[in-house]
Amino acid sequence: MTELLERAIARLKTLPSNEQDAIATMILEELEDERRWDESFARSPNLLAKLAAEAMTEHIAGKTQELEPERSF
């Protein structure tokens, strides 16, 4: 387990049970969502390549916007 995750869990332990359960539910739902995405793309690698090509075409045509830089926590 990473140090950051250990710190997060230590802080979660200080919360009331209902808040711990709410956050645990969000984490588990996020992990399940990621698993479904991974599974979906694994079954359709050609679809992922097609989407990437479309995104690149839109970018080259100037139809995209740069996202804000990712923040470090």
Side-chain angles (χ1 to χ4, degrees):
M1 183 179 309
T2 68
E3 182 180 326
L4 181 59
L5 185 54
E6 286 179 358
R7 286 187 1 228
I9 290 173
R11 288 186 66 184
L12 289 171
K13 288 179 179 181
T14 67
L15 298 175
S17 295
N18 63 326
E19 290 182 33
Q20 290 182 28
D21 287 346
I23 293 171
T25 298
M26 289 188 300
I27 292 169
L28 291 170
E29 287 173 352
E30 181 66 24
L31 292 170
E32 178 60 20
D33 190 47
E34 282 296 316
R35 185 198 62 77
R36 283 193 305 262
W37 272 106
D38 290 346
E39 187 178 280
S40 178
F41 284 124
R43 286 192 313 254
S44 314
N46 293 336
L47 175 60
L48 183 56
K50 180 182 174 191
L51 291 172
E54 288 176 9
M56 186 58 73
T57 299
E58 289 179 7
H59 177 69
I60 291 169
K63 297 180 180 179
T64 60
Q65 293 180 329
E66 188 171 329
L67 298 175
E68 292 182 28
E70 189 172 316
R71 295 182 195 167
S72 177
F73 294 100

